[in-house]
Amino acid sequence: MNRNRINIPLKLLYLQGKSPLFRIILNFVFPIMTELKTPDISIIDIDKIRADFPILSDKVNGKPLIYFDNGATSQKPIQVIETITNYYKHQNANIHRGVHTLSQEITVAYENARATVQKHLNALYSHEIIFTSGTTESINLVAHSFAKQFLSNGDEVIVTAMEHHSNILPWQMVCEERGALLKVVPINSDGELILEEYKKLLNKKTKIVAVTHISNTLGTINPVKEIIDLAHAQNIPVLVDGAQAVPHTFVNVQDMDADFYCFSGHKLFGPTGVGVLYGKEKWLNQLPPYKVGGGTIKTVSFERTEYADLPLKFEAGTPHIEGGIGLAVAIDYVNEIGLDKIAAYEHDLLEYATGLLQKTDGVKIIGTAKNKASVISFVVEGLHAFDIGTILDQLGIAVRTGHHCTQPLMTHYCIQGTVRAAFAFYNTKQEIDLFIQGLERAIKMLR
Ligand SMILES: Cc1ncc(COP(=O)(O)O)c(C=O)c1O
């Protein structure tokens, strides 16, 4: 049913009339129709979803697994697992280089996977989708190729205080190589970017801005569109690290107007070792290849090489074929559930867990932004995150402990590390209850 199509005339009736019929529509029919528009999180069939993830039925240390380490990597539905085994059982061949049937069929499947990613991100062209090994490689590709072409002595690159090391180190390295400066947008005590400071950092020397969409440690959802608009006002391109965003939210690269957008398959319920770099055609065409070799060329002689067009120019060597195909299946899987429902369901989990953690003695949540994804980092007064994580593990509860590859952020908060619980759509409130009980037990044991 197209709810919008029904709602528009009803609203017109509401504005127009006072007749009894209109009043009936106004008082009874319209509220029902409006109610239909609010996302109903109960529409998520949690039992059916959990049954799709074989690992969720496993025991760890004799206890049913409660997997809250989704920020590090997500679990895989059976549809993805079977796609990969089927590839090795019945489809295995190399792509883009064979006349035989298997090679041609798998080439089509791989290119269809690229088209699935294009559609999912709403990219304009499928050749704007480059398959990489993950977010880290995508950012390295842009940093190194961009620096080669555009970065000189005295130029500036802007990152933020909440970046993952994967969105700091490549920029730090190319800045050192080129004599450029790395500038850092600071955050406030809630873990939100201070946009007034960002505005002050943008200037004629700024060559690129690299920012995370969602912080893997704090859960903060950054206002990337605003960040991009401000940079574009000065013709500065922006790379968005979407590693933590793509599993939780709709990403529309055209609407956002991102110049580059990166993510990893394994955090999106897909295989490890595959990821995506989206780049606007105009930028990718200007960048030199990052890695070179088989697959990236049109012609080679010992005197001169002519490189292939997009996307192959950036895809050297045999790619992670089953990874690309498995990623497309994972994308279809989340779309089947609906990212709007996933976001609403996970937000409910976030609020529930936040409420319980706030009541837990000695717990301090790190990252209290107004706009947050389903990631909670916390410290417990006087206790080491590692010790808490170890006791929770004995109870079958997997959380992440440590600096989460965001050491500058730890320095900012004057802490060594946090315990991080990151929820996915297959987690439940019952699991959160058990986690809180386990945490209380750990605190008691360690005090
Ligand atoms: C925000 C963010 N960026 C980048 C990465 C690196 O991703 P990968 O290890 O898949 O390359 C991660 C991984 O945790 C992340 O959370």
Side-chain angles (χ1 to χ4, degrees):
M1 176 174 59
N2 186 333
R3 281 156 197 158
N4 283 339
R5 222 184 289 159
I6 292 170
N7 266 338
I8 290 163
L10 281 173
K11 278 181 195 161
L12 285 177
L13 291 174
Y14 169 83
L15 291 172
Q16 278 171 16
K18 288 183 180 149
S19 81
L21 175 64
F22 287 153
R23 251 180 260 143
I24 289 168
I25 289 168
L26 182 62
N27 291 333
F28 298 103
V29 183
F30 185 61
I32 292 168
M33 301 310 296
T34 315
E35 213 166 85
L36 283 173
K37 281 189 81 183
T38 10
D40 180 358
I41 55 166
S42 66
I43 292 171
I44 276 202
D45 186 344
I46 191 72
D47 293 336
K48 183 171 172 290
I49 287 171
R50 286 181 69 85
D52 282 337
F53 290 79
I55 205 169
L56 297 181
S57 310
D58 281 4
K59 289 195 168 168
V60 170
N61 293 320
K63 302 282 186 325
L65 169 65
I66 295 179
Y67 188 80
F68 287 170
D69 196 15
N70 295 292
T73 197
S74 59
Q75 299 302 345
K76 321 300 170 202
I78 191 69
Q79 291 84 342
V80 169
I81 298 167
E82 281 176 354
T83 299
I84 293 166
T85 46
N86 187 59
Y87 167 77
Y88 284 113
K89 279 182 177 167
H90 303 295
Q91 299 176 293
N92 184 35
N94 213 329
I95 56 165
H96 296 146
R97 58 191 77 184
V99 290
H100 63 84
T101 304
L102 277 185
S103 175
Q104 292 199 5
E105 281 177 2
I106 204 65
T107 301
V108 169
Y110 194 70
E111 290 309 320
N112 283 344
R114 195 189 304 278
T116 301
V117 176
Q118 174 208 349
K119 202 165 147 227
H120 191 62
L121 295 182
N122 194 32
L124 195 52
Y125 306 113
S126 72
H127 59 253
E128 292 178 319
I129 304 300
I130 313 294
F131 281 122
T132 64
S133 67
T135 309
T136 303
E137 194 190 30
S138 300
I139 298 171
N140 270 277
L141 188 164
V142 177
H144 287 274
S145 295
F146 188 91
K148 217 175 200 178
Q149 193 74 357
F150 296 111
L151 205 61
S152 313
N153 196 26
D155 286 341
E156 293 177 4
V157 172
I158 296 179
V159 295
T160 84
M162 66 172 82
E163 298 308 315
H164 187 281
H165 295 166
S166 289
N167 202 24
I168 299 174
L169 306 194
W171 302 110
Q172 195 174 50
M173 182 177 268
V174 298
C175 281
E176 276 168 14
E177 282 168 7
R178 302 258 146 192
L181 289 173
L182 195 62
K183 298 283 176 171
V184 183
V185 185
I187 56 172
N188 64 22
S189 54
D190 285 324
E192 295 162 325
L193 293 176
I194 306 176
L195 289 183
E196 284 313 307
E197 296 300 321
Y198 168 60
K199 288 180 199 164
K200 286 186 208 157
L201 288 177
L202 289 166
N203 70 74
K204 284 200 185 80
K205 287 183 273 175
T206 313
K207 287 291 174 302
I208 190 164
V209 174
V211 60
T212 193
H213 192 165
I214 295 181
S215 160
N216 63 310
T217 302
L218 306 170
T220 310
I221 303 175
N222 284 322
V224 278
K225 189 159 168 45
E226 196 180 342
I227 289 167
I228 291 169
D229 286 348
L230 286 164
H232 283 180
Q234 302 192 38
N235 294 320
I236 301 163
V238 178
L239 173 143
V240 180
D241 172 352
Q244 297 292 337
V246 172
H248 302 289
T249 181
F250 278 117
V251 173
N252 182 334
V253 289
Q254 288 191 74
D255 182 47
M256 187 189 288
D257 209 14
D259 299 283
F260 303 101
Y261 196 96
C262 314
F263 72 91
S264 302
H266 69 98
K267 294 185 198 284
L268 182 59
F269 317 97
T272 49
V274 69
V276 166
L277 166 64
Y278 157 79
K280 275 185 192 161
E281 185 190 55
K282 73 164 184 183
W283 281 112
L284 292 177
N285 275 335
Q286 291 179 74
L287 300 188
Y290 172 49
K291 294 173 178 172
V292 290
T296 57
I297 56 95
K298 276 184 185 157
T299 59
V300 179
S301 71
F302 284 111
E303 290 72 38
R304 195 180 164 273
T305 292
E306 195 188 346
Y307 287 101
D309 296 327
L310 297 173
L312 300 186
K313 168 178 146 183
F314 290 108
E315 294 184 356
T318 299
H320 189 356
I321 302 167
E322 75 282 22
I325 296 165
L327 173 59
V329 172
I331 289 173
D332 287 343
Y333 185 87
V334 291
N335 283 330
E336 185 110 337
I337 300 172
L339 269 165
D340 50 348
K341 286 183 201 158
I342 288 175
Y345 180 82
E346 289 179 351
H347 186 72
D348 196 40
L349 292 183
L350 173 74
E351 298 223 309
Y352 184 69
T354 304
L356 292 177
L357 277 171
Q358 279 167 341
K359 285 188 226 142
T360 309
D361 200 26
V363 166
K364 183 177 174 215
I365 294 176
I366 306 291
T368 46
K370 280 179 265 327
N371 205 3
K372 264 188 82 168
S374 55
V375 175
I376 311 184
S377 266
F378 62 91
V379 289
V380 182
E381 210 184 336
L383 301 183
H384 202 289
F386 182 83
D387 295 334
I388 295 168
T390 306
I391 295 177
L392 288 174
D393 177 54
Q394 290 308 306
L395 302 169
I397 302 167
V399 290
R400 182 74 180 267
T401 58
H403 54 65
H404 317 297
C405 298
T406 52
Q407 280 187 4
L409 199 51
M410 298 296 110
T411 308
H412 170 87
Y413 283 99
C414 301
I415 52 179
Q416 298 267 309
T418 72
V419 179
R420 181 185 72 186
F423 309 119
F425 56 78
Y426 43 64
N427 293 128
T428 64
K429 287 186 182 171
Q430 289 88 330
E431 288 183 320
I432 292 173
D433 288 340
L434 290 168
F435 158 67
I436 296 289
Q437 283 168 27
L439 177 65
E440 283 169 348
R441 199 162 141 191
I443 294 172
K444 227 181 239 169
M445 278 168 73
L446 294 166
R447 282 241 164 94

